[in-house]
Amino acid sequence: MTGTVTRYLYLVRHGEALSDECEPTGGGLTENGRRQAVLLGRRLREVPFAAVHHGPLPRATQTARLIGEQLGGVPLRVSELAGDYVPYWPERDELPPEAADFLLTFLNSSAEERSWGPELARRAVERFAGPAQAAEGSAAACRELVVTHNFLVAWLVRHATDAPAWRWLGLNHANAALTVIRYAPGRPSSVLCLNDTRHLPADLRWTGFPPELHI
């Protein structure tokens, strides 16, 4: 017999990454990024995760491995669904008029990515969002960690709050910040924490944000 149990979805943007102009997907982690990942892993070491999912790019893979070293045997699973892609392109008439030009310029990505980004986003919601399936006698809740990129964290937060599809734009997350969403059977989804960096010292917080947005 199977049923559903509460899913706690822990979402993490990768640690601060190197900029590699010769590699379009970017490089691995900086020293700061490695420190961020280790400190986040230490914060999460008592959480009984079923798995750690991560995107295939070096910055997400390295972050997941460093976190995983602190978790003691939790399986690491690479997934294209946790990759770096644009989840949704809004039409101009969906956007606030005063911000439309800025947002559409920001989203000036290739036609090729338009064809596969939204499909990956749909599949990511199907895989990671909502209550989890559980066999009889299993744990009362399922906890999974997804190490990913800014856009997917924003998309899943937008989905959890039933915001308009375009509203993933502007939901930005710092490197190694933690967001947790609860999906309980028969209840609306709840964002329990968002962009939480309390596991990081001041000098490691807010990387990934322009200086004027540091608080």
Side-chain angles (χ1 to χ4, degrees), residues 133-145:
Q133 295 295 320
E136 185 174 4
S138 65
C142 172
R143 292 174 171 83
E144 295 179 292
L145 174 61

Side-chain angles (χ1 to χ4, degrees), residues 38 40-49 51-52 64-76 145 147:
V38 170
L40 178 56
R42 290 174 182 170
R43 174 178 175 177
L44 297 175
R45 62 175 32 149
E46 301 302 322
V47 180
F49 288 116
V52 176
R65 287 177 179 168
L66 289 167
I67 292 172
E69 289 173 1
Q70 305 298 315
L71 301 182
V74 177
L76 303 183
L145 174 61
V147 180

Side-chain angles (χ1 to χ4, degrees), residues 21-177:
E21 295 180 357
C22 297
E23 172 52 65
T25 60
L29 299 181
T30 64
E31 178 58 32
N32 280 346
R34 290 189 288 272
R35 289 173 60 202
Q36 289 169 334
V38 170
L39 290 169
L40 178 56
R42 290 174 182 170
R43 174 178 175 177
L44 297 175
R45 62 175 32 149
E46 301 302 322
V47 180
F49 288 116
V52 176
H53 307 272
H54 64 87
L57 297 182
R59 54 193 183 273
T61 298
Q62 291 178 19
T63 301
R65 287 177 179 168
L66 289 167
I67 292 172
E69 289 173 1
Q70 305 298 315
L71 301 182
V74 177
L76 303 183
R77 298 172 181 168
V78 63
S79 172
E80 65 174 352
L81 304 182
D84 191 14
Y85 52 86
V86 175
Y88 179 80
W89 273 266
E91 299 296 332
R92 178 175 288 274
D93 61 7
E94 295 178 70
L95 300 171
E98 66 278 9
D101 287 341
F102 170 80
L103 294 174
L104 291 173
T105 299
F106 172 74
L107 288 173
N108 186 21
S109 299
S110 69
E112 180 183 5
E113 188 173 358
R114 278 178 177 258
S115 70
W116 52 260
E119 174 60 16
L120 286 177
R122 182 194 66 78
R123 290 168 54 200
V125 168
E126 187 176 79
R127 170 59 186 85
F128 297 123
Q133 295 295 320
E136 185 174 4
S138 65
C142 172
R143 292 174 171 83
E144 295 179 292
L145 174 61
V146 179
V147 180
T148 183
H149 303 264
N150 188 50
F151 290 175
L152 182 60
V153 179
W155 182 249
L156 290 170
V157 169
R158 180 222 64 83
H159 177 269
T161 57
D162 294 320
W166 73 268
R167 200 58 186 89
W168 70 272
L169 290 160
L171 296 176
N172 298 313
H173 298 80
N175 295 122

